[in-house]
Amino acid sequence: MSDRKEDGRGFSITSASGRKKSVAENMVTSVLKAGEVPIYERELTADEEVLAALGYKPEFKREFSLWTSFCVSFAVLGLLPSFAATLYYGMGYAGTPGMVWGWLIAMIFIQCVAMSMAELCSSMPTSGGLYYASAVLAPPGWGPLAAWITGWSNWLGQVTGAPSVDYALAAMILAAASISNPDYIPQDWHTFLLTTLIMLIHGCISSMPTRWIAQFNSYGSSFNIVALFVVVVMIPTASSNREAQGLPKFAPSKEVWGDIYNGTDWPTGLAVLMTFVAVIWTMSGYDAPFHLSEECSNANIASPRAIVLTSGVGGVMGWFLQLVVAYTVIDIPSVIDSDLGQPWAAYLLQVMPQKTALAVLGITIICAFSMGQGCMVAASRVTFAYARDGCFPFSGWIARVNNRTQTPVNAVWFNTVIGICMTLLIFGGTVAIGAIFSIAAVAAFVAFTIPIFIRVFFVGDRFRPGPWNLGRWSMPIGIAACSFVLVMVPILCLPSVRGVDLDSSTMNWTALVYGAPMTYALLTWVFSARHWFKGPKVNIEHQMLGRSNIEIQGKEIGLQGAEESGGSSSGSINKDIEAGHERDGKVDPYA
């Protein structure tokens, strides 16, 4: 038991034999100083000590594991439904070579992004994730701005995830109904109402206790994995239409890997690069374990492993699906330009009997439902983390954790309402609603890369690796990740046509749909937020470790008091991020 006494100044002092771990004794990169010790009313577990060292009190039950965290992120990837939704880009821009080569090349660099992100997650396992990392790692004075930009970009990518997936799910359900009943023609309002219903169902599931959500996503992810294997086997065995037309069962490898079908007005090399949008959009969900880290046991090891596992397994399995489709497709133009308006459904009807095609489409629909649910859960945790730091209007209400379920129910329904409003774009036509797909890809990878870029080019030895790290490979892998995203973001904004063929119906709306809200965020920063937004807010009291290993317990003070005193407190990043700590003429965040 610790030996406590009062000194003459009224401070509570704890002897070294009974003291808790300071920030420096945890393998974290934190907004707190190295000598500060979190104060809590009870003994903390190892995971809770790490979170407290980052400046946050434990608010969730830790009922996620490596497997269930992987299940949520794999459900967010939703390889089968994601492939169905993005087949137009891979096959339509560069044909089968774009599918097989595009996926393979892009996945190498996407894995670099994932590993760099996992290293950050191990050092900073908090729901704020990338946003927190940007704030802590940015050069002195730039932390709040870096956090603001990263947070907005990541939130835009997250909040568009569930509505885009649920819209694609509704379109597939109605396409299946149209195949079964050719007299039925889906209307825009049918799609909107069905999408809204799916959003509401996902909102209800995401409001359940953490254990229930984890179990639901575990079942959904397991089904996704099994379904993917089933479809990969089912397509080559059940595709009889090629032979019925006098073609070999599988297309020649020379044709699959070398005959590029350029469906754009750009040079062939650029067309292949444009197919990367399919891979990037599909693989933009592996950050989910980062945002679930406050609900995961052994988070600073399990969460980064789940990130890398999701990206690696998803990349390999997705490539096998690309190969299967590439070797069995008969006529690419008829798939892309089908009256069904759904290339995946058109492809299945092209290579399989109708009943078999409907069965595969049904499996895809179930997987898409699980994927939409995973997107809703991940987005709600991101919204909660940002609201906890006051980034939104009514942040206090949004960041409230439900006492019964111990989950951020208000954040779930905040996102649900915004998502339903986004799906009103359905009434603007396919080009308008397609914008929510493109924004998810660009917004997510911009947010992924900002803290990695800062880590590689600005941080130096100020970054403290967690127990899961890349060692000497950290810098080269980080450089590869940043280079890939810097090249791809402009390419993702290019339209597939140019010249006289380019009009409002064929333009790429990504720059506008992503640029407009980000411009609003930057203007808000210039005229307002820079005066009050200080980055992640510390919400746990902490002590300063004095000389001779004596802990002097201080009192909680607000942001204004912290800035006036220059002291350390519960409240915000204050001077840690705004000015850094000076020592020997250098900035030292652990001084």
Side-chain angles (χ1 to χ4, degrees):
M1 181 176 293
S2 63
D3 180 22
R4 303 183 66 86
K5 61 180 180 178
E6 297 291 328
D7 73 351
R9 297 168 296 173
F11 286 98
S12 174
I13 300 177
T14 305
S15 67
S17 61
R19 70 182 181 86
K20 298 177 181 178
K21 283 186 177 181
S22 66
V23 173
E25 293 173 286
N26 286 282
M27 299 179 70
V28 297
T29 304
S30 176
V31 300
L32 302 179
K33 295 180 181 179
E36 291 179 308
V37 181
I39 306 171
Y40 209 64
E41 296 176 355
R42 60 174 174 79
E43 291 297 321
L44 301 179
T45 66
D47 281 312
E48 290 171 340
E49 280 190 342
V50 171
L51 183 63
L54 295 171
Y56 294 119
K57 60 185 179 182
E59 298 184 79
F60 300 121
K61 292 182 178 180
R62 291 187 178 269
E63 294 177 331
F64 279 94
S65 62
L66 168 60
W67 171 248
T68 52
S69 294
F70 165 75
C71 287
V72 172
S73 56
F74 197 82
V76 172
L77 289 188
L79 286 176
L80 185 57
S82 292
F83 176 81
T86 59
L87 181 60
Y88 174 85
Y89 302 105
M91 184 182 290
Y93 284 173
T96 55
M99 296 172 65
V100 295
W101 284 115
W103 186 280
L104 186 61
I105 296 171
M107 270 311 307
I108 295 174
F109 291 99
I110 289 174
Q111 190 67 14
C112 291
V113 178
M115 289 190 290
S116 295
M117 182 193 297
E119 187 175 46
L120 296 178
C121 178
S122 182
S123 180
M124 293 165 274
T126 174
S127 294
L130 304 164
Y131 151 86
Y132 184 98
S134 293
V136 176
L137 298 175
W142 294 93
L145 177 59
W148 183 261
I149 296 174
T150 303
W152 269 93
S153 187
N154 192 32
W155 181 74
L156 284 170
Q158 293 284 344
V159 80
T160 55
S164 61
V165 173
D166 289 350
Y167 161 72
L169 171 58
M172 282 191 285
I173 293 173
L174 295 178
S178 182
I179 293 172
S180 301
N181 181 13
D183 294 331
Y184 170 67
I185 301 177
Q187 303 296 320
D188 287 342
W189 66 273
H190 298 168
T191 307
F192 173 76
L193 289 179
L194 183 55
T195 304
T196 300
L197 175 61
I198 297 169
M199 289 284 293
L200 293 174
I201 294 173
H202 283 158
C204 291
I205 297 174
S206 299
S207 300
M208 293 178 179
T210 300
R211 179 178 299 176
W212 297 6
I213 297 173
Q215 290 177 345
F216 181 90
N217 282 284
S218 179
Y219 296 144
S221 186
S222 298
F223 182 84
N224 262 276
I225 295 173
V226 173
L228 189 59
F229 276 113
V230 169
V231 171
V232 168
V233 172
M234 201 170 177
I235 289 176
T237 56
S239 57
S240 57
N241 291 357
R242 284 185 62 91
E243 294 175 308
Q245 297 181 28
L247 299 172
K249 188 173 183 63
F250 301 110
S253 293
K254 181 180 179 181
E255 176 183 317
V256 170
W257 293 80
D259 290 353
I260 295 179
Y261 166 84
N262 192 339
T264 74
D265 289 347
W266 301 97
T268 299
L270 188 55
V272 173
L273 290 177
M274 291 174 69
T275 66
F276 287 11
V277 66
V279 196
I280 293 175
W281 188 85
T282 299
M283 300 301 298
S284 61
Y286 54 77
D287 63 319
F290 207 155
H291 307 300
L292 294 172
S293 57
E294 290 186 32
E295 300 171 73
C296 181
S297 59
N298 197 24
N300 54 1
I301 295 178
S303 294
R305 284 178 178 174
I307 291 172
V308 176
L309 188 64
T310 301
S311 179
V313 173
V316 172
M317 296 181 69
W319 190 57
F320 278 118
L321 182 58
Q322 298 277 345
L323 288 173
V324 167
V325 173
Y327 272 94
T328 55
V329 66
I330 299 174
D331 183 23
I332 292 177
S334 65
V335 169
I336 301 302
D337 302 325
S338 171
D339 292 336
L340 288 174
Q342 226 295 328
W344 175 243
Y347 160 77
L348 294 175
L349 286 176
Q350 187 180 94
V351 301
M352 294 178 171
Q354 180 174 316
K355 290 184 178 180
T356 307
L358 283 173
V360 174
L361 190 58
I363 292 174
T364 309
I365 288 170
I366 297 173
C367 292
F369 184 85
S370 174
M371 177 185 178
Q373 174 57 34
C375 290
M376 181 72 78
V377 172
S380 67
R381 273 47 178 182
V382 174
T383 302
F384 162 80
Y386 297 164
R388 181 171 60 184
D389 293 336
C391 297
F392 303 113
F394 311 108
S395 286
W397 177 83
I398 297 171
R400 194 175 301 160
V401 176
N402 186 275
N403 292 330
R404 176 172 296 181
T405 65
Q406 293 295 297
T407 53
V409 172
N410 293 353
V412 170
W413 290 102
F414 175 72
N415 286 351
T416 301
V417 171
I418 291 178
I420 292 173
C421 292
M422 284 184 173
T423 58
L424 289 171
L425 290 170
I426 291 172
F427 298 103
T430 55
V431 175
I433 189 62
I436 66 174
F437 288 93
S438 56
I439 191 176
V442 174
F445 268 75
V446 168
F448 291 177
T449 310
I450 290 175
I452 298 173
F453 186 85
I454 297 173
R455 157 78 180 93
V456 170
F457 295 103
F458 294 101
V459 172
D461 59 0
R462 289 190 294 118
F463 175 72
R464 301 183 69 207
W468 192 102
N469 61 80
L470 299 172
R472 63 177 181 172
W473 294 100
S474 178
M475 295 300 284
I477 290 175
I479 291 173
C482 295
S483 301
F484 174 71
V485 176
L486 287 173
V487 169
M488 287 309 304
V489 167
I491 292 175
L492 294 178
C493 296
L494 294 176
S496 60
V497 299
R498 55 181 176 170
V500 295
D501 295 328
L502 183 61
D503 56 28
S504 60
S505 64
T506 56
M507 72 170 285
N508 187 333
W509 290 80
T510 303
L512 176 62
V513 177
Y514 174 69
M518 289 305 296
T519 300
Y520 166 79
L522 288 173
L523 291 175
T524 301
W525 171 263
V526 171
F527 294 107
S528 175
R530 66 188 177 92
H531 299 295
W532 53 264
F533 180 76
K534 306 302 178 184
K537 289 182 179 179
V538 175
N539 68 2
I540 190 170
E541 292 187 69
H542 45 280
Q543 303 166 315
M544 173 57 80
L545 182 64
R547 295 178 180 177
S548 301
N549 288 333
I550 297 295
E551 295 173 1
I552 302 177
Q553 180 174 334
K555 63 180 181 178
E556 179 177 2
I557 58 178
L559 171 61
Q560 185 65 31
E563 291 183 337
E564 289 175 356
S565 66
S568 200
S569 74
S570 141
S572 78
I573 292 179
N574 54 70
K575 294 184 181 297
D576 288 353
I577 283 183
E578 290 186 321
H581 304 292
E582 298 284 340
R583 185 175 68 184
D584 299 329
K586 297 181 180 181
V587 176
D588 182 6
Y590 298 100

